[in-house]
Amino acid sequence: MESNEEPDALPPPPPEIPPNVVPVQLTTDTVPEETKKISKPKRSPITRRGVGSRGQKIQLVTNHFKVSISNTSGHFFHYSVSLYYEDGRPVDAKGIGRRLIDKVHETYGSDLAGKDFAYDGEKSLFTIGALPRNKMEFTVLLDSFSSNRNSGNGSPVGNGSPNETDKKRIRWALQSKTFKVEMSFAAKIPMQAIAAALRGQESENSQEALRVLDIILRQHAAKQGCLLVRQSFFHNNPKNYVDLGGGVLGCRGFHSSFRALQGGLSLNMDGSTTTIIQPGPLIDFLIANQNVSNPFQIDWAKAKRTMKNLRIKVSPTNQEYRITGISENSCKEQLFSLKSRAAGGNDAESFDITVYDYFVNHRSIDLRYSGDLPCINVGKPKRPTYIPVELCSLLSLQRYTKALTVLQRSQLVEKSRQKPQEKIRILADVMKSNNYAAEPMLSSCGITISSQFTQVQGRVLPAPKLKAGNGEDVIPRNGRWNFNHKKFFEPCKIENWAVVNFSARCDVRGLVRDLIRLGEMKGILISDPMDVLEENAQSRRAPPLVRVDKMFEQIQTAFPDAPPRFLVCLLPDRKNSDIYGPWKRKNLAEYGIFNQCLAPTRVNDQYILNVLLKINAKLGGLNSLLAMEQSRNIPFVSKVPTIIFGMDVSHGSPGQSDIPSIAAVVSSRNWPLLSRYRASVRSQSPKVEMVDSLFKQTADKKDDSGIVRELLLDYYKSSGQTKPAQIIIFRDGVSESQFNQVLNIELDQIIEACKFLDESWSPKFTVIVAQKNHHTKFFQDGSPDNVPPGTVIDNAVCHPQSYDFYMCAHAGMIGTTRPTHYHVLLDEIGFSADDLQELIHSLSYVYQRCTTAISLGNEQITLMICICILDLKLGIEMLETGYFYLLLLLVLRFLHVPFPI
């Protein structure tokens, strides 16, 4: 906060302040931290400086559909919506808003001047042109179908006497409720803002205008009975379901969003997948979810947590309820008070009856197995309403939000894949079936959407040349290469190692011979193992943790002084071995032993060669490197000391909101090499996306315990006492709305860490965000193949003004290639578009664990570290660096506590 007035122009202090107190002007040093954070950002993302020209041109199509808009002179009017019960209480029930707004539109159409609505389902409603008044109130009657409307008097499905008929109960269930709907004017959004966004002049108005168009599409899908998940929608069609096991289904649907691009306004339509609860009998879901064979084996404490808030339909009335809990007693023992009227009398009498007797004797409903099981409560905790479990069926399209198992996740990935031509056909069909031309709100906007895929021009960059051992060249083809008849560039030496065998059918001696023989072919000198430890036969039926503990007892007996430096572990024959996770935890988190797991049923020479790639990288070797890295010909990087950071933050799985998030940063070392990295991790508050420990001063302000200092000091030692003059930052996992935070919070921390080491040191920065979580796909028109590796697109579907581009660096072997969307936020180094694209493409070839180009380039390694934290089964073996910091990943993952480094 600054003042243009002189100090003596300040007003006199109030009388109660002592006369000797001198007023102090506020300076930037005295501004509170929270005030600084909300001030105008110092840096904003840079604009595009040009486009690339290198590479072979290729014609592509993309899943963007051109949108024409003729009514840019109009306005969207935003109204705030409030919903109340008749007694004035706010409506807290979810999912009722759309029904109420539809009822308002149906009942009061003339009072609303015939306006159509775009309603987001919660608090916001939009019209084209204004409503007759700024504030309008409506009273509507709505039929009650849900559990929130039942009487909650303790009786099953209503408070009827034994003499009442089901017909009367149904009539009771369909009684109307009165609601009040208020609409208040909130804002006016010019449609001209869309045209401004197309010129690159983005504003809050342009973002809101595009949001309105997205809401129109959501409402269009809601009218068709779809499940809505943000900008994705899912039809209730069994053809779209895939069984993932455990009572969980994968549901295929579609994502749709309007985008302002270089080529104009477009609709981005893509496939999408979510997980839902298996609809049908509730008991079938519980049996599948707990993997038991009959209802009497169900763990009802666990089932209670699983069923909470699920929606069910109860037979024979077909009334819908929401589950609130279960009964304490079984159906045959659970009592409730039933009121009945004596014949010819007016006084109601109450008597206690079991839920089972009520349904069997008074409702004449046959219950086959519910008698000895708990009842389902659909009332309130203090005023329950109990239903026998076998009368309950789960409704369709209920999201499953808990963490998936490894097997479920792999099934979801496998069954969600679609080949390029299959995806094109499906998207073309959905564009036709959606019939957006019939949507009245789009028509009122003058919007028409083409059904043709947009054509774009791409360029295919040539693959970089690699170097193997003895200076031999490796020429990648189609994003792949091999080490046939070649040695590793820098092989390690394996001594002080042992074999651990959990498999009953593996030829261990033969495998060891093959490992030594093939290692020698690649230049790795492997001595004979110090020991081969076989699992005791009686331990094979024990739980995984016990088996691992028993094996480590054998290791401690065989190596009383110190454990081996490296262990090869032969897993049991079964796929997805449950030994894997506990074994990794024990090795890395407790003992600090490098190890490699093998699946012995698949062992052959090619398999062992692939394993040697991992082993060599884990133990500090180097399999290959870029030829231009060795010859120091990388523009801007090889001639000037440069460090490359890859940054990401990993969060807990769904339903684990209390688990700390993990910030992971990798950095290059041994400049001018780019193929060597090291990692550093920190825990931070759950769900916080910005890395908060890049610069972290100690309490006495004399030291910095942050990540960046640690990595810079390692670079300095490993690069000949050289400080980097250039820092290239790859940031993964942030959205457009967080770009300013990356530039003004994270980059500030990095600069502070540099200044703390040397006040006069001012390196140049280039900051690049890499996004995989987007919905743009590219296809070769008329070809069944994915786009070739090295494909770059920096026109048509890119931002009108910002510096972004798409790259498909890898060969898509399965499904449809997902390109990486790169956003250049800052470039003080001064790369040309071609040089930067070639650098990122080349970095996709330095991944040490495999012989294929990977999709994300440098920051892929950070991603692998974060996968490790979230999912041991998929991630631990993907770690490339052999540093002690990797141990902390598992400590954080398993102990679920902050672990400062």
Side-chain angles (χ1 to χ4, degrees):
M1 179 173 158
E2 297 179 357
S3 173
N4 294 324
E5 298 181 6
E6 297 297 323
D8 56 3
L10 288 170
E16 62 266 26
I17 297 180
N20 60 337
V21 174
V22 179
V24 179
Q25 271 192 294
L26 196 62
T27 67
T28 53
D29 294 331
T30 58
V31 174
E33 282 299 317
E34 57 269 23
T35 306
K36 289 182 183 179
K37 287 181 181 178
I38 62 173
S39 61
K40 186 176 179 181
K42 293 185 295 185
R43 308 179 192 88
S44 297
I46 63 174
T47 57
R48 187 181 302 279
R49 295 176 177 170
V51 295
S53 59
R54 296 176 194 163
Q56 183 179 351
K57 293 180 179 178
I58 182 173
Q59 288 300 126
L60 305 169
V61 295
T62 181
N63 58 334
H64 286 258
F65 301 87
K66 187 172 180 58
V67 177
S68 302
I69 180 167
S70 59
N71 183 18
T72 56
S73 60
H75 289 79
F76 293 118
F77 281 74
H78 177 195
Y79 293 87
S80 178
V81 175
S82 299
L83 308 175
Y84 301 96
Y85 293 114
E86 189 176 17
D87 60 5
R89 290 179 298 119
V91 173
D92 55 0
K94 293 183 179 180
I96 198 172
R98 290 191 186 277
R99 292 172 59 199
L100 288 173
I101 294 299
D102 288 344
K103 196 73 172 180
V104 168
H105 191 267
E106 175 189 328
T107 309
Y108 298 96
S110 58
D111 296 334
L112 297 164
K115 295 287 184 186
D116 289 312
F117 298 156
Y119 177 53
D120 71 350
E122 295 182 3
K123 300 285 186 182
S124 294
L125 180 145
F126 300 88
T127 62
I128 299 170
L131 293 176
R133 295 187 302 280
N134 281 350
K135 185 169 184 178
M136 304 185 75
E137 296 183 5
F138 307 95
T139 300
V140 294
L141 297 177
L142 199 64
D143 292 336
S144 171
F145 285 93
S146 72
S147 58
N148 291 326
R149 306 293 169 261
N150 72 63
S151 60
N153 60 9
S155 66
V157 197
N159 180 26
S161 70
N163 297 323
E164 288 184 326
T165 63
D166 286 344
K167 187 174 181 180
K168 288 183 180 179
R169 284 195 185 82
I170 294 172
R171 187 161 59 245
W172 173 87
L174 296 180
Q175 66 182 325
S176 295
K177 275 274 192 183
T178 303
F179 296 87
K180 293 178 182 178
V181 178
E182 290 183 2
M183 298 180 189
S184 304
F185 173 75
K188 183 176 164 183
I189 306 162
M191 294 186 193
Q192 186 64 36
I194 298 174
L198 296 174
R199 296 191 298 269
Q201 300 168 349
E202 281 194 284
S203 65
E204 189 174 332
N205 273 340
S206 61
Q207 293 168 4
E208 276 295 295
L210 292 176
R211 176 174 166 250
V212 175
L213 298 183
D214 288 336
I215 288 172
I216 293 172
L217 293 194
R218 277 175 56 84
Q219 180 172 273
H220 183 79
K223 289 177 180 176
Q224 301 173 47
C226 294
L227 166 67
L228 305 179
V229 183
R230 293 180 292 277
Q231 284 305 125
S232 295
F233 55 94
F234 304 87
H235 289 277
N236 184 15
N237 185 345
K239 291 182 180 178
N240 297 333
Y241 300 162
V242 293
D243 187 9
L244 306 181
V248 181
L249 304 178
C251 181
R252 288 191 291 262
F254 300 93
H255 164 92
S256 63
S257 61
F258 285 94
R259 311 283 292 179
L261 305 172
Q262 286 180 15
L265 187 63
S266 82
L267 174 64
N268 180 206
M269 182 69 72
D270 190 24
S272 186
T273 306
T274 191
T275 50
I276 63 172
I277 298 288
Q278 174 184 309
L282 176 60
I283 200 71
D284 290 352
F285 164 72
L286 294 176
I287 287 172
N289 185 253
Q290 297 192 12
N291 192 26
V292 295
S293 58
N294 64 68
F296 304 103
Q297 296 176 330
I298 291 173
D299 179 345
W300 287 98
K302 180 180 177 183
K304 181 180 178 180
R305 296 191 297 270
T306 304
M307 294 187 296
K308 180 78 171 176
N309 288 325
L310 291 182
R311 290 177 292 118
I312 57 171
K313 181 172 65 176
V314 176
S315 59
T317 63
N318 286 335
Q319 189 175 353
E320 295 178 11
Y321 295 89
R322 193 178 294 275
I323 297 175
T324 57
I326 60 175
S327 63
E328 294 182 3
N329 303 313
S330 70
C331 188
K332 286 181 177 178
E333 297 172 340
Q334 184 64 51
L335 296 169
F336 72 96
S337 182
L338 181 66
K339 294 179 180 179
S340 67
R341 299 185 191 279
N346 294 324
D347 295 334
E349 296 181 358
S350 297
F351 61 94
D352 289 343
I353 186 173
T354 66
V355 176
Y356 182 84
D357 285 342
Y358 173 78
F359 278 92
V360 172
N361 299 323
H362 295 284
R363 299 288 300 278
S364 300
I365 296 173
D366 182 33
L367 298 179
R368 294 175 293 122
Y369 56 82
S370 295
D372 297 317
L373 302 176
C375 302
I376 303 301
N377 183 13
V378 296
K380 297 179 180 179
K382 293 185 179 179
R383 301 178 68 189
T385 298
Y386 294 124
I387 313 289
V389 67
E390 66 185 274
L391 301 184
C392 303
S393 292
L394 289 165
L395 298 176
S396 298
L397 295 180
Q398 299 191 73
R399 289 188 70 199
Y400 182 81
T401 56
K402 295 177 175 59
L404 298 178
T405 65
V406 173
L407 189 57
Q408 286 173 329
R409 190 181 293 115
S410 63
Q411 286 283 309
L412 182 63
V413 170
E414 182 180 340
K415 294 180 179 180
S416 299
R417 292 173 181 147
Q418 293 171 336
K419 293 183 181 297
Q421 288 305 308
E422 181 186 6
K423 183 175 280 289
I424 285 178
R425 177 182 56 78
I426 291 172
L427 291 178
D429 289 345
V430 78
M431 285 298 295
K432 291 176 183 176
S433 64
N434 279 338
N435 192 21
Y436 289 132
E439 170 55 52
M441 283 289 287
L442 292 181
S443 300
S444 300
C445 299
I447 283 181
T448 55
I449 304 174
S450 170
S451 60
Q452 301 299 313
F453 288 75
T454 299
Q455 293 194 348
V456 297
Q457 187 178 80
R459 293 173 288 111
V460 182
L461 303 178
K465 186 188 295 184
L466 303 176
K467 286 289 184 179
N470 300 325
E472 292 188 79
D473 291 335
V474 178
I475 310 297
R477 288 182 173 81
N478 195 32
R480 304 177 71 86
W481 63 96
N482 63 58
F483 283 101
N484 292 345
H485 312 298
K486 292 181 175 65
K487 296 182 183 293
F488 293 147
F489 183 83
E490 192 176 298
C492 65
K493 193 173 183 179
I494 302 179
E495 299 174 316
N496 187 19
W497 70 291
V499 179
V500 168
N501 184 24
F502 287 99
S503 171
R505 296 185 296 171
C506 181
D507 177 10
V508 180
R509 298 188 183 281
L511 188 146
V512 169
R513 282 197 306 270
D514 291 341
L515 198 63
I516 294 173
R517 172 178 59 85
L518 294 169
E520 186 178 358
M521 290 172 56
K522 298 298 140 191
I524 299 177
L525 297 178
I526 306 176
S527 62
D528 290 331
M530 299 169 66
D531 204 345
V532 175
L533 303 169
E534 300 279 353
E535 183 181 32
N536 293 327
Q538 58 267 31
S539 299
R540 290 190 179 125
R541 294 184 179 274
L545 282 171
V546 174
R547 296 177 69 180
V548 170
D549 287 341
K550 292 288 186 185
M551 182 58 75
F552 263 88
E553 288 176 9
Q554 289 184 242
I555 294 172
Q556 288 172 325
T557 301
F559 303 95
D561 298 328
R565 179 170 181 261
F566 178 66
L567 288 174
V568 170
C569 173
L570 306 180
L571 294 171
D573 301 332
R574 193 175 59 199
K575 187 180 178 182
N576 294 318
S577 170
D578 47 12
I579 291 286
Y580 187 95
W583 173 255
K584 286 293 182 180
R585 175 190 176 184
K586 200 81 172 177
N587 276 270
L588 297 178
E590 296 186 26
Y591 286 88
I593 303 174
F594 298 117
N595 64 98
Q596 177 65 53
C597 292
L598 281 77
T601 54
R602 300 185 297 170
V603 170
N604 54 37
D605 281 8
Q606 186 59 55
Y607 177 85
I608 293 176
L609 287 173
N610 289 339
V611 167
L612 286 169
L613 287 169
K614 298 181 186 181
I615 293 175
N616 193 45
K618 286 179 181 181
L619 298 181
L622 200 58
N623 299 330
S624 63
L625 80 169
L626 299 169
M628 59 181 178
E629 179 182 358
Q630 186 186 41
S631 60
R632 303 188 66 163
N633 284 327
I634 302 175
F636 294 93
V637 173
S638 293
K639 307 301 182 187
V640 180
T642 303
I643 188 171
I644 299 178
F645 287 152
M647 299 165 49
D648 199 0
V649 176
S650 173
H651 308 290
S653 301
Q656 296 179 318
S657 58
D658 58 334
I659 291 178
S661 294
I662 307 298
V665 183
V666 294
S667 67
S668 58
R669 61 199 308 268
N670 293 109
W671 180 83
L673 297 185
L674 298 181
S675 296
R676 285 194 182 279
Y677 290 84
R678 65 160 293 165
S680 183
V681 297
R682 300 287 192 278
S683 66
Q684 59 187 45
S685 300
K687 306 300 180 186
V688 173
E689 182 54 51
M690 291 298 111
V691 182
D692 66 3
S693 51
L694 296 170
F695 174 69
K696 213 168 191 68
Q697 280 187 294
T698 54
D700 58 8
K701 304 290 184 182
K702 294 182 179 179
D703 203 0
D704 168 22
S705 61
I707 294 175
V708 172
R709 173 188 173 90
E710 178 184 309
L711 299 178
L712 289 174
L713 290 177
D714 176 80
Y715 175 94
Y716 184 77
K717 294 174 184 175
S718 65
S719 302
Q721 311 294 299
T722 301
K723 288 185 293 188
Q726 299 175 157
I727 298 178
I728 301 173
I729 301 167
F730 286 93
R731 181 61 160 96
D732 187 28
V734 293
S735 62
E736 283 88 340
S737 64
Q738 297 169 312
F739 286 177
N740 277 329
Q741 295 179 62
V742 172
L743 284 175
N744 294 286
I745 297 177
E746 291 185 339
L747 181 57
D748 272 356
Q749 287 189 66
I750 296 172
I751 292 172
E752 285 187 85
C754 294
K755 293 294 184 185
F756 196 85
L757 285 168
D758 183 350
E759 183 63 37
S760 63
W761 178 28
S762 297
K764 294 180 179 180
F765 290 91
T766 292
V767 181
I768 303 163
V769 168
Q771 293 178 330
K772 291 286 282 183
N773 190 22
H774 62 84
H775 290 275
T776 295
K777 303 289 195 303
F778 298 99
F779 309 90
Q780 295 191 69
D781 197 9
S783 169
D785 299 326
N786 273 303
V787 297
T791 298
V792 178
I793 300 94
D794 56 7
N795 61 86
V797 291
C798 293
H799 193 276
Q801 190 175 31
S802 299
Y803 189 175
D804 67 328
F805 58 91
Y806 292 89
M807 181 179 291
C808 302
H810 64 300
M813 309 304 292
I814 303 173
T816 301
T817 299
R818 175 181 293 186
T820 304
H821 192 185
Y822 291 97
H823 302 260
V824 184
L825 306 187
L826 178 69
D827 183 20
E828 296 175 340
I829 296 174
F831 287 99
S832 68
D834 280 321
D835 286 340
L836 186 59
Q837 290 168 9
E838 287 199 337
L839 171 64
I840 293 174
H841 181 226
S842 297
L843 289 172
S844 298
Y845 285 77
V846 304
Y847 191 42
Q848 294 296 305
R849 67 165 270 123
C850 64
T851 56
T852 60
I854 45 87
S855 61
L856 263 173
N858 158 269
E859 66 279 19
Q860 178 75 4
I861 301 174
T862 306
L863 183 64
M864 291 301 102
I865 293 174
C866 294
I867 289 174
C868 170
I869 300 162
L870 287 174
D871 184 37
L872 289 172
K873 181 63 179 173
L874 294 179
I876 292 178
E877 287 304 306
M878 295 180 175
L879 296 170
E880 292 311 311
T881 174
Y883 297 93
F884 179 75
Y885 294 98
L886 299 184
L887 311 186
L888 301 175
L889 296 172
L890 294 181
V891 172
L892 293 165
R893 174 68 176 93
F894 284 95
L895 301 185
H896 296 169
V897 294
F899 194 91
I901 299 174

